[in-house]
């Protein structure tokens, strides 16, 4: 590593060996960054220098900050971290907070002062926080005052607990006021690790994905500029946590990079998000498919005339969800697949380029292909493993699973996809979610799409349940819309409906009705929980 600014080299030292990295490509001119780069300085100081100082950067429930004000906040926090916590460049700082302006300022301050940010989801419990603190060797924590409880429990269980500062409380503001208004950005290398983002991993030890200062800017100079067409006039809003790279990019980095403004609100319900779009005249919305499904029937109650682009990611966007949203709002959804490993979206489509049902094409700056089990590229119209390449790629923190995630220089996402003759990518399922029943390969999401087209179905999840005869059988968990009755009659109706909609052998042989489905904080269906339940259902029947 040339010219690192880090005195604590833990993160850089625990990158996978070079030969295990995916190949990185920098095919756009905008991606040719200098060797020394501090992403926070680029997102703040450079914007202020370009005359953006007086424009609004962030709005929260209680405050509005211009670029100049945000920049000053960030500098004071950076000063405090250095003085109060006596951190040195390269130290890891765990961040814990909901989506609000101060949480955003804390992330940027960590970068500006040359530390490594380790953002964590607000709902994580002490045990999960403890694991992350150990894996990332966390030196200090910046925690929202109202989220201290689980953090303190986690710290109590550690031999050498990190130092903790609480924000969003009076004492913190007083400490900031005593700090100098300016902090000179640490002169980090473009390849200094600035972000350790842990995968929301369903089972097993969480994986820490490692990202450079350069990567943070690279995602800002790809999707938002080409597919989204973001400008300084945009107002961004949405739900994904800043601790999830979908939210970090969509609700903080992308707006800052183009000089736009972002609205950061906590605990948004579907109705509250719609109200926020109307109140703040938002133009761009980022959230997950399940949230769009819940907002669709409520959309007519709100003035959404400001909204011009809505982005869906996190899980597959069913055709039905796309169509119903478009009917309710007139907006053609921008679907995009991204991952924590790749940092953000790499396949997507907007406007006339949208092909409903497909995720889209590799966005400018990225390439994709479909690989077979031996790592050979497959032609069009064959289902295989999705592989991607771009300026960002998978690098796990000291983890042997790195070897499974990269193949011939490509990052494998873990998804089964098909590419059509025009280079559009069609999602099938997560590779480990494919159901094999009586020798047939069945993609759960395809059955879900069919079920969702039935007017009685609000939400559903389809998994394989163990079956002595077929190996696995297709089991659907269904949440009905209000006014519809669960029971054998409904089971038969839905089964017949699926048989008429897709190949009959894919129909769910069993249907279990639920009032809700298990989801992560990021809106992903927790299929592993459904599979666990499925095993019990089968054993007890
Ligand atoms: C699935 C999708 C179909 C897919 C993410 C945008 O979701 C994000 O990151 P994660 O690491 O999960 C990655 C996996 O989620 N997925 C995401 N988007 C789509 N499947 N269609 C989609 N549009 O299985 C992928 O491998 O939690 C999304 C930006 C940043 C992110 N981190």
């Amino acid at each position: 590593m040339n010219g690192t600014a880090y005195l604590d080299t833990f993160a850089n030292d625990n990158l996978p060996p070079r030969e295990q990295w995916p190949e990185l490509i920098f095919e756009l001119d905008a991606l040719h960054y200098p060797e020394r780069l501090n992403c926070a300085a680029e997102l703040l100081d450079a914007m202020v220098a370009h005359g953006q100082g007086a424009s609004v950067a962030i709005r929260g429930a209680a405050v509005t900050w211009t670029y100049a004000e945000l920049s000053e906040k960030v500098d004071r926090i950076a000063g405090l971290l250095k003085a109060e916590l006596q951190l040195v460049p390269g130290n890891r700082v765990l961040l814990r907070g909901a989506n609000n302006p101060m949480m955003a300022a804390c992330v940027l301050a960590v970068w500006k002062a040359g530390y490594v940010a380790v953002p964590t989801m607000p709902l994580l419990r002490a045990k999960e926080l403890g694991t992350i603190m150990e894996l990332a060797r966390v030196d200090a924590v910046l925690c929202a005052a109202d989220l201290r409880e689980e953090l303190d429990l986690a710290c109590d269980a550690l031999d050498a607990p990190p130092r903790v500062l609480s924000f969003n409380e009076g004492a913190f503001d007083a400490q900031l006021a005593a700090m100098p208004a300016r902090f000179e950005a640490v002169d980090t290398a473009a390849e200094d690790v600035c972000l350790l983002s842990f995968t929301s991993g369903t089972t097993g030890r969480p994986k820490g994905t490692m990202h450079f200062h350069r990567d943070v800017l690279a995602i800002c100079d790809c999707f938002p500029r080409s597919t989204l067409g973001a400008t300084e006039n945009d107002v961004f809003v949405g739900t994904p946590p800043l601790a999830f790279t979908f939210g970090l990019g969509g609700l903080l980095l992308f707006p800052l990079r183009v000089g736009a403004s972002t609205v950061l609100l906590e605990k948004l319900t579907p109705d509250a998000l719609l109200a926020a779009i109307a109140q703040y005249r938002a133009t761009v919305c980022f959230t997950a498919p399940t949230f769009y499904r819940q907002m669709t029937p409520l959309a007519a109650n709100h003035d959404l005339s400001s909204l011009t682009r809505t982005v869906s990611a996190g899980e597959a966007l069913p055709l039905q969800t796309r169509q119903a949203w478009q009917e309710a709002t007139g907006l053609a959804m921008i679907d995009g697949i991204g991952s924590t490993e790749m940092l953000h979206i790499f396949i997507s489509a907007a406007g006339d380029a949208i092909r409903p049902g497909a995720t889209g094409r590799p966005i400018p700056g990225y390439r994709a292909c479909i690989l077979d089990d031996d790592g050979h590229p497959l032609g069009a119209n064959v289902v295989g493993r999705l592989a991607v390449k771009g300026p960002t790629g998978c690098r796990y923190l000291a983890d042997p699973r790195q070897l499974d995630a990269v193949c011939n220089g490509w990052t494998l996402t873990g998804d089964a996809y098909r590419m059509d003759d025009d280079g559009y990518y069609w999602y099938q399922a997560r590779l480990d979610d494919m159901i094999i029943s009586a020798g047939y390969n069945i993609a759960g999401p395809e059955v879900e799409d069919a079920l969702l087209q039935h007017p009685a179905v609000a939400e559903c999840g389809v998994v394989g349940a163990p079956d002595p005869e077929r190996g696995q059988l297709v089991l659907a968990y269904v949440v009905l819309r209000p006014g519809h009755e669960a029971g054998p009659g409904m089971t038969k109706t839905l089964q017949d409906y699926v048989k008429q909609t897709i190949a009959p052998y894919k129909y769910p042989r069993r249907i279990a009705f639920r009032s809700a489905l298990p989801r992560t904080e990021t809106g992903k269906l927790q299929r592993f929980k459904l599979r666990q339940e499925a095993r019990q259902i089968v054993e007890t029947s």
Side-chain angles (χ1 to χ4, degrees), residues 199-200 244-247 312-317 335-341 343-346 359 413-415 417 427 430 522 524:
T199 54
S200 46
F244 179 33
T245 67
F246 180 35
S312 170
E315 56 176 19
L317 177 69
D335 186 10
I337 177 173
S339 73
T340 309
E341 287 81 355
L343 201 49
H344 220 274
I345 290 173
F346 45 84
T359 312
T413 67
D415 297 290
Y417 256 86
Y427 177 79
R430 292 284 307 165
T522 61
K524 276 194 219 302

Side-chain angles (χ1 to χ4, degrees), residues 37-65:
L37 192 65
N38 183 305
C39 64
E42 290 302 315
L43 293 171
L44 293 170
D45 304 3
M47 297 310 289
V48 173
H50 286 135
Q52 213 65 36
S55 327
V56 172
I58 303 187
R59 281 181 214 279
V63 295
T64 296
W65 291 338

Side-chain angles (χ1 to χ4, degrees), residues 16 40 133 135 162 164 169 176 179 198 320 366 412 483-484 520:
M133 285 196 275
L135 291 175
V164 181
E169 63 175 7
L176 289 191
M179 285 291 139
F198 282 85
Q320 161 67 21
Y366 285 82
L412 298 172
H484 296 274
T520 63

